[in-house]
Every structure is written in structure tokens, then in C-alpha cells.
Amino acid sequence: MTAKADARTVEAASSPPVVGSTARAVTATWWYTVVALVLFELTVVLVWAATLLQARLDRGTVLAVLVGGLVWVLSTAPLLRAYRHGGADASTLDRRSALVPLVVAAAYGVTGWWLSGLWVLLILPLAQSLQLLHWPRFVRARIVLAVTALLAGVLVVDVNTAFSEPPLSAQEDPYVAGVFSVLLPLTTVLSLWWWDVLITLDRARVSEARLAATQERLAVATDVHDLQGHHLQVIALQLELAERLLPDDRDAALGQLRAARLSVDEARQGTRDLATRFRTVPLPDELANARDLLRAAGLTVEAVIDVDADTAPASVFGPVIRETTTNVLRHGGGRRARLALTRLDDGWRYEISNDVPAPLPPVTAPSLGGAEAPPERMRQGTGLEGTARRAGDVGGSMEVLAGEDDFIVIVTVPADADAGGLR
């Protein structure tokens, strides 16, 4: 059987992402940032080594500046690692992780100045390493501005100071070699600022998804509290009155007991109506909510919804959509998901799939009709067995496919499933 061709497709890009439960896109962005900063530092070291070589300094001196520069670049790796795992809102310095890299930077600066006589080489390594520490926002802005001004000033001094053979005096444009050094701290701060913004946005995305789920649970809890609280209070008063009337007027007491029983029936019917109201949200809205929730969790989502979806059995598919969406959120671990509700010749077919981070070995579950089911880490607490029973109660079926790349749940029910109701 094939689905109708007249379906509408909605595709949505995912949001970027975090530290801790960091999404893959955020992790990739961090590595882009790290590679860029390391390349900037290596460029500065190579430029100064080439400048000193062109100035005909001793090759041993040039080699010492070059090797020392490579050691200094490697020493910034722990600072970058601490910056990532420290979070964007860290305001204190980790002295233990920062001490050794700062000492290496200071030692390289002193060595470079002693070998070349350049004040820029004295200040730059330590100034750059300081930019990789966590500073409060306004403190960092002041530090980078002060460091940039200081480097620009000492560059002018290096160009104009009358050393016996200043390395920069042999350059046709002596400021070209120094501009990389002057701009390095500022470039570093801008790169780290972008990373901080990205982390803040991703945390906001995660908070938004959690808030949406919390608000939904709060709405349900409020309705249940209002409904049950009212009826329970009435029942308590009726039983109390029956207890008081029982010694003197048994008929009146019996009437209160009957009224209490009717109140119990009303409370039960009210609870049933409340559950039905949540079950019978229009299916296009259910699918849109599921799509938005998955998108807020950082997945790339594709939704294919039949144009006649509002005629599908909402009392069956509504809970199924919510349960399977929760399954993807809790246990999926992938980057993309697909929702599809399509009309068949004699029924409806709902499919939800998501990619998985690693191959999943199939297992069989008797409650799922012998179909391949996800491994234990995917099945526990997912409600898939309840989904299978729900589909079976109305004459439908559920199929679970756990492949190497995708995890798929397919629910098929008859077109008149709503008429049979849910047990």
C-alpha cells in the first residue's frame, strides 16, 4: 500500500549548541575556534622567525626563537581546554591549570627579547596567554585594549630604537612583521567571545525545551488538581455529614452516602473527560508540537503530514505521537528525526524515525509481535510496549526497526479506530 502523494513537507534546521551535553555542531564549532587560534599563534611565530632570518641574525638564534615559539603554542593547549570546560560564565581563574602555561609564556618572552632585542617578543607570549583565561566580561575588554595599545607602542619603539643592527631596520616596511603580533590578542578575544555567545544560545535552547515540557506538565497537573480537589472536598463533606446523621436519621445519612457515590462518579467522569481532551488535540497540532519540541532539542526535523490528517483517529495517534516523541528525546541521541502521517487504502500509518549515534544490535520482544526491538537502553521507560497495546486495542499494529543508522517506529491503525475507542 502506498501513501497519498498530496502531502505537505516541512523541514526545519536545528539550533546550534553546549558544554556537558554538547551537541555535535557545538563541538565542531569549538574545534574550528581552537584550530584558528593555534594557526594564528603559529603564523606569528613563523613571521618573527622569518623576520629574524632575513635580518641575518645567527641561525642558532632564529632556531631558538622558532623552537621556543612552538613550545609556547603547545603550552596554550591546557588554557584552551580549561576555557572550554570552564563555561562561558566563569569568573575565577584556575591557578593550577594556568600557572605552568603562563610561566612558559613568560620564559619564552624573556628568551626572545634577550636573543633578538625586540620588546614585542618580550610582551606578546604572556599577553596572548592571558587572553585565554576566564575573565569577567568588562575586565577582559580592558585587558585586551591595554595589551593591544602596549604592543603597538613597543612595536614603534622596536622600529625606531637605535640598536646596533635592529632586526626591523632591514625591513622595507618594518610594521608588516609587527601587525600580526599587535592584532593577535584582539583576534583571540573576538574568537572566544563568539564561542561564549554560542554557548549562551545553546543553553537557552536547552532551557526552552525543558521549560516547554515543564509548562505542559504544569498545565495537566493544574487541571487535575482543580478537578479532583473540588470533588474530593465535596465527597469529604458529604461523608462527614452522613457520619453525623447516622445515629439519629439513617435515611438522611443514606441519602448523603448516595450523593457521595454520585460525586465519585462525577469525579471519575471529569477525569475521563480531561484525559480525552488532552488525547483529542487535532493531529496536525500534535505533529507540529512534536516537530517543534524535537527542533528545540537540537535535531533537524522533517515532518510529512497528509492533507487529510485532521480526519485520522486522534484518540489513538495523539498519545502515540507524544510517547514516541518522548522516546526520541530521551533515548535517541541522534541529530535528525522524521515524522510522517499518511493515509493508506484502509487506514492510517504513522512513522517516526531518528538516526542513532552507534550501531544498535537487534533484540526480539514478544510484546511487540516478535518484531525487532531496540536494545535495552532504548526500550526501558520509552512506553513502546504501551504504544503497541494501544494500537492493538483498535485492531492496529506497531513495527519497530532498529538498524545500524536509524531507529524507526511504525504504527498502523484502521481508519475507523476512533469508533472503537481506547480501552
Side-chain angles (χ1 to χ4, degrees):
M1 291 183 290
T2 59
K4 284 186 177 181
D6 52 344
R8 62 179 184 270
T9 302
V10 182
E11 296 185 1
S14 65
S15 307
V18 208
V19 180
S21 62
T22 310
R24 288 180 175 86
V26 180
T27 302
T29 302
W30 169 252
W31 286 112
Y32 296 154
T33 303
V34 169
V35 170
L37 292 179
V38 170
L39 287 178
F40 292 157
E41 292 172 350
L42 286 174
T43 299
V44 170
V45 172
L46 293 175
V47 165
W48 280 114
T51 300
L52 297 178
L53 187 62
Q54 186 177 0
R56 296 184 176 84
L57 265 68
D58 180 73
R59 292 184 180 272
T61 298
V62 176
L63 182 61
V65 171
L66 180 60
V67 173
L70 296 179
V71 173
W72 165 64
V73 171
L74 290 176
S75 74
T76 61
L79 296 178
L80 289 168
R81 182 178 184 277
Y83 192 94
R84 179 190 181 187
H85 295 287
D89 55 353
S91 59
T92 58
L93 302 180
D94 187 347
R95 295 181 180 179
R96 289 176 297 179
S97 62
L99 181 59
V100 173
L102 292 179
V103 169
V104 171
Y108 174 59
V110 171
T111 302
W113 171 78
W114 180 65
L115 294 175
S116 66
L118 293 172
W119 293 96
V120 171
L121 288 183
L122 173 65
I123 298 172
L124 177 63
L126 184 59
Q128 169 65 7
S129 295
L130 287 174
Q131 307 310 312
L132 304 179
L133 300 177
H134 278 293
W135 298 97
R137 182 183 306 174
F138 296 107
V139 173
R140 163 167 285 170
R142 294 188 181 97
I143 290 177
V144 71
L145 291 176
V147 164
T148 301
L150 179 60
L151 287 172
V154 296
L155 178 62
V156 174
V157 172
D158 285 336
V159 171
N160 295 283
T161 299
F163 287 108
S164 55
E165 287 188 4
L168 295 181
S169 62
Q171 306 296 316
E172 294 181 1
D173 190 350
Y175 290 101
V176 172
V179 70
F180 293 99
S181 300
V182 173
L183 295 180
L184 180 60
L186 182 59
T187 303
T188 299
V189 168
L190 290 177
S191 299
L192 294 177
W193 170 80
W194 169 246
W195 167 253
D196 292 342
V197 170
L198 192 63
I199 287 296
T200 302
L201 290 175
D202 190 70
R203 289 176 176 173
R205 173 188 61 77
V206 173
S207 298
E208 181 183 7
R210 291 175 179 170
L211 180 60
T214 301
Q215 287 176 333
E216 184 177 358
R217 289 194 295 267
L218 181 60
V220 175
T222 300
D223 289 341
V224 172
H225 174 270
D226 292 343
L227 175 68
Q228 297 293 347
H230 167 74
H231 286 293
L232 289 175
Q233 182 66 27
V234 171
I235 293 169
L237 292 174
Q238 290 169 335
L239 293 176
E240 182 181 354
L241 183 57
E243 183 181 11
R244 292 179 180 179
L245 292 174
L246 188 60
D248 302 323
D249 192 343
R250 297 178 63 86
D251 292 337
L254 186 59
Q256 291 299 322
L257 289 176
R258 293 193 185 97
R261 187 184 65 183
L262 291 175
S263 297
V264 171
D265 291 338
E266 291 176 0
R268 184 168 52 191
Q269 183 61 43
T271 304
R272 186 181 298 112
D273 293 341
L274 179 63
T276 302
R277 178 163 63 103
F278 279 100
R279 284 202 300 257
T280 56
V281 174
L283 282 181
D285 293 343
E286 286 280 10
L287 289 165
N289 291 336
R291 181 196 63 209
D292 293 341
L293 190 59
L294 292 171
R295 186 191 310 174
L299 280 73
T300 299
V301 182
E302 177 189 1
V304 180
I305 307 172
D306 194 281
V307 294
D308 296 327
D310 53 352
T311 64
S315 61
V316 179
F317 281 124
V320 168
I321 291 171
R322 291 191 291 271
E323 289 174 359
T324 53
T325 301
T326 301
N327 182 57
V328 172
L329 289 173
R330 290 182 178 175
H331 307 286
R335 292 175 291 179
R336 55 180 173 81
R338 183 179 186 273
L339 305 169
L341 180 64
T342 52
R343 186 72 162 91
L344 304 176
D345 293 340
D346 57 351
W348 287 88
R349 182 179 188 270
Y350 167 70
E351 176 182 332
I352 181 170
S353 63
N354 65 284
D355 62 324
V356 292
L360 297 175
V363 299
T364 58
S367 61
L368 302 182
E372 288 188 353
E376 193 66 23
R377 71 176 181 86
M378 291 282 288
R379 285 195 293 122
Q380 291 181 345
T382 61
L384 292 184
E385 293 184 358
T387 299
R389 287 194 299 269
R390 193 181 299 275
D393 285 344
V394 295
S397 63
M398 186 182 85
E399 184 180 7
V400 178
L401 304 176
E404 294 184 356
D405 301 321
D406 293 285
F407 180 73
I408 306 171
V409 177
I410 302 172
V411 178
T412 306
V413 301
D416 58 351
D418 265 339
L422 292 175
R423 300 174 190 173

